Amino acid sequence: LGLFMKGIGVTLNDALQFWRSEFTQSPRVGPEKFEKGGYGYSVRHYYGKEGKRKSISPYSCMYIITNNAPTSDETHGCPFKHWDADVMRTKLKGWGVAQAAITEILGLVKDHHYQIACSRYFEVTHNLASGTIAINHPNEYFKLSCGNLTGAIEGQPAKEP
């Protein structure tokens, strides 16, 4: 999430403020432990302010799909790759996706076309024609979604808020 936030333009100071407020809610992590226990260091490292002082880029879809699968107690990863089909079906239904689109998306997932499934989900949830979007990066998904809301996707009307 930290690299994703960086990729959508969250500043280092805002990222530090966000993560500090999140981590210090736990009684196990006070402000001092956040700064000295590695949490703050990790955030600064993403932005190239610690370690080798090299800015780290957010991960692409292909990297997320092929690396670092989440364990049972983790929540990162590509939902189209890492979620069980029953979980995906339940989530899609709960998000109001039509049954025909759910079947299509799950078929793409079954055939290991995770990015195409994600792109199709985007099209369905943003009222776009099939085959108009190809998602290759989580930050691209976010930016296209924002563009759809503002009418900035070429040839597409802005969605009603």
Side-chain angles (χ1 to χ4, degrees):
L1 182 59
L3 288 174
F4 171 80
M5 291 171 57
K6 177 186 172 201
I8 63 170
V10 175
T11 66
L12 172 58
N13 286 339
D14 287 345
L16 283 167
Q17 182 180 353
F18 170 79
W19 289 115
R20 186 179 297 109
S21 71
E22 290 300 309
F23 278 108
T24 57
Q25 289 180 32
S26 167
R28 295 177 294 165
V29 182
E32 186 172 317
K33 186 171 183 180
F34 176 82
E35 292 303 328
K36 297 181 180 177
Y39 302 108
Y41 177 93
S42 293
V43 174
R44 291 187 299 276
H45 185 263
Y46 294 155
Y47 285 81
K49 303 299 181 189
E50 297 283 359
K52 293 182 181 179
R53 302 213 178 267
K54 180 182 174 194
S55 183
I56 300 172
S57 296
Y59 299 137
S60 68
C61 290
M62 190 53 63
Y63 183 89
I64 293 168
I65 289 167
T66 59
N67 293 281
N68 302 323
T71 61
S72 62
D73 63 337
E74 296 177 323
T75 57
H76 68 276
C78 170
F80 298 95
K81 161 73 175 174
H82 298 118
W83 286 0
D84 176 78
D86 290 333
V87 170
M88 176 65 69
R89 181 179 293 103
T90 301
K91 293 285 189 181
L92 292 172
K93 188 174 183 177
W95 294 330
V97 176
Q99 185 56 50
I102 292 173
T103 301
E104 180 183 3
I105 291 165
L106 290 175
L108 291 165
V109 168
K110 183 179 177 189
D111 292 338
H112 307 284
H113 299 297
Y114 310 114
Q115 286 178 252
I116 298 171
C118 177
S119 297
R120 187 65 191 120
Y121 172 76
F122 183 95
E123 291 165 343
V124 167
T125 58
H126 290 79
N127 299 321
L128 301 174
S130 180
T132 58
I133 296 292
I135 304 290
N136 294 303
H137 199 287
N139 294 118
E140 177 185 25
Y141 188 106
F142 176 82
K143 289 174 183 176
L144 286 170
S145 189
C146 290
N148 182 255
L149 290 172
T150 63
I153 296 179
E154 190 171 316
Q156 303 298 330
K159 282 193 74 171
E160 293 296 319

